[in-house]
């Protein structure tokens, strides 16, 4: 039988991307960055600019964008990126032959507050028969409309990896952890995929299931909706502890989880990825090669996506995960970039992932 994504009617380009992502597992790990083209540390909305490009001379191979607030009809997302600009970035990176993944910090449909408002009963309320099911469907309609508007220069739908209900085993989001049963989560997953795929007839999506840190394969799979409902599987991990001890802990944890993840992926014919990671402010000048690369480089995963370079807020708070010009880990990041199995745009463009 032909190996197809979980959408059996996926467009030709989506199926091609799916096969090429698998093929590329033997070549290396694509490097990704959230909101790479929109802003970085000290700048916003400068055409062509990217912190990855500033430091390495090359763009990432994977770009993450975020849908949060689309459900409210806002013109800008949760991180102030206009959806119209996002659409253009996505077209640009498709032209470059790079990979696109979308996340969605959707508000809590039961309380109207943010994604972090983990009110009990939210998941149950949006399942069919629940009081907020209609509202949830109207939100999915808005996501669907945005996705359908993603077309390349030949008007062909752009394939996108949709990373739904991320960090699903953590307790911080309303869909996470103890806030619903495994059964409810699986129902929510299947309902959402089926609504986008079968009701809205969208066929340009690959679906990514992703947890936060996990302890065992059983733990990882507790809420797994099944082979026929996912294409990419991954997890998110952040280094929270600084210094040597923090480095050791991160390396060991990431390495152990990547081993489990790649085994699960092999057993289920899925594409493994490190769907989100970071070490806030990268306060270590050799973290990229001495810690991250050591955790990653012997694992066959599709990509590793680092979170957004939001920069410094007026109050002096900083959020960034990648070096910018002059940041202490800049040189080491270039070394990381030069590692033979770390792939950025120059390599990936030549791979023709959509052809
Ligand atoms: C979080 C932080 C927030 C951001 C949110 C949604 O991890 O980066 O600043 O608003 O993701 O992208």
């Amino acid at each position: 039988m032909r190996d197809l994504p979980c959408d059996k009617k996926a467009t030709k380009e989506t199926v091609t991307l799916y096969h090429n992502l698998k093929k590329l597992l033997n070549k290396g790990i694509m490097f990704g960055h959230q909101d790479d083209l929109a802003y970085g540390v000290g700048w916003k909305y400068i055409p062509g600019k990217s912190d990855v490009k500033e430091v390495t001379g090359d763009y990432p191979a994977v770009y993450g964008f975020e849908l949060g607030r689309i459900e409210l009809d806002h013109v800008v997302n949760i991180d102030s990126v206009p959806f119209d600009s996002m659409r253009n970035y996505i077209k640009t990176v498709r032209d470059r032959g790079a990979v696109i993944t979308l996340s969605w910090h959707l508000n809590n449909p039961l309380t109207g507050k943010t994604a972090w408002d983990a009110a009990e009963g939210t998941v149950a309320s949006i399942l069919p028969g629940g009081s907020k099911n209609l509202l949830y469907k109207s939100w999915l309609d808005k996501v669907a409309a945005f996705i359908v508007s993603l077309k390349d220069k030949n008007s062909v739908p752009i394939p996108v990896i949709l990373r739904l209900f991320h960090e699903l085993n953590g307790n911080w989001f309303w869909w996470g952890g103890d806030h619903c049963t495994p059964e409810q989560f699986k129902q929510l997953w299947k309902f959402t995929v089926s609504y986008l795929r079968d009701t809205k007839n969208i066929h340009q999506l690959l679906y990514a299931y992703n947890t936060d840190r996990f302890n065992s394969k059983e733990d990882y799979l507790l809420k797994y909706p099944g082979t026929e409902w996912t294409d990419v599987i991954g997890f998110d991990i952040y280094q929270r502890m600084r210094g040597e001890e923090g480095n050791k802990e991160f390396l060991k944890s990431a390495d152990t989880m990547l081993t489990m993840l790649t085994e699960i992926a092999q057993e289920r014919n899925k594409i493994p990825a490190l769907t989100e990671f970071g070490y806030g402010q990268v306060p270590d000048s050799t973290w990229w090669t001495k810690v991250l690369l050591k955790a990653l480089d012997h694992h066959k995963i599709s990509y590793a996506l680092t979170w957004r370079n939001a920069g410094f807020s007026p109050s002096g708070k900083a959020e960034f995960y990648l070096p910018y010009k002059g940041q202490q880990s800049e040189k080491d990041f270039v070394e990381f970039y030069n590692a033979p199995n770390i792939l950025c745009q120059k390599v990936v463009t030549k791979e023709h992932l959509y052809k």
Side-chain angles (χ1 to χ4, degrees), residues 237-239 246-254 287 291-292:
I237 181 170
Y238 284 84
Q239 180 166 335
N247 288 350
K248 264 198 217 143
E249 193 282 331
F250 179 89
L251 206 168
K252 186 161 180 274
S253 302
W287 188 75
V291 182
L292 182 68

Side-chain angles (χ1 to χ4, degrees), residues 66 78-79 105 116 307-308 319:
E66 160 65 34
I78 186 167
D79 301 316
H105 289 73
W116 291 267
W307 202 238
R308 61 197 205 101
E319 185 183 6

Side-chain angles (χ1 to χ4, degrees), residues 119-250:
E120 295 310 311
T122 306
V123 170
S125 80
I126 62 174
L127 291 173
S131 64
K132 297 293 177 190
N133 179 248
L134 259 184
L135 177 69
Y136 181 57
K137 284 201 281 193
S138 75
W139 289 6
L140 290 177
D141 290 342
K142 292 169 200 197
V143 167
F146 182 75
I147 289 168
V148 165
S149 76
L150 303 175
K151 298 221 168 98
D152 69 15
K153 56 177 188 262
N154 302 315
S155 301
V156 174
I158 300 176
V160 168
I161 300 170
L162 184 61
R163 186 161 76 94
L164 286 168
F165 307 118
H166 64 295
E167 302 174 359
L168 63 101
N169 59 341
N171 269 317
W172 43 92
F173 295 125
W174 58 258
W175 57 82
D178 302 336
H179 310 303
C180 62
T181 66
E183 210 33 58
Q184 283 171 329
F185 184 85
K186 290 180 199 174
Q187 272 181 39
L188 175 64
W189 186 278
K190 293 178 188 176
F191 175 79
T192 305
V193 170
S194 166
Y195 191 79
L196 294 171
R197 184 187 62 190
D198 311 326
T199 306
K200 304 304 290 184
N201 257 306
I202 294 180
H203 300 297
Q204 65 203 92
L205 293 176
L206 298 175
Y207 293 91
Y209 169 91
N210 67 127
T211 65
D212 200 70
R213 287 173 179 244
F214 59 99
N215 297 316
S216 64
K217 287 189 185 180
E218 294 70 38
D219 188 19
Y220 184 83
L221 292 167
L222 182 68
K223 293 182 173 175
Y224 187 63
T227 293
E228 63 281 30
W229 296 94
T230 63
D231 300 303
V232 173
I233 62 169
F235 66 92
D236 297 3
I237 181 170
Y238 284 84
Q239 180 166 335
R240 307 274 180 210
M241 202 199 310
R242 294 196 173 197
E244 261 323 292
E245 239 184 279
N247 288 350
K248 264 198 217 143
E249 193 282 331
F250 179 89

Side-chain angles (χ1 to χ4, degrees), residues 6-42:
C6 67
D7 179 358
K8 302 304 168 213
K9 292 187 190 162
T11 63
K12 192 171 103 215
E13 292 72 19
T14 310
V15 175
T16 305
L17 174 65
Y18 170 80
H19 288 144
N20 282 333
L21 290 179
K22 289 191 170 178
K23 223 161 66 189
L24 209 61
L25 286 170
N26 292 315
K27 182 150 184 171
I29 302 170
M30 290 186 284
F31 186 75
H33 185 210
Q34 183 75 5
D35 276 348
D36 186 73
L37 297 177
Y39 53 80
V41 177

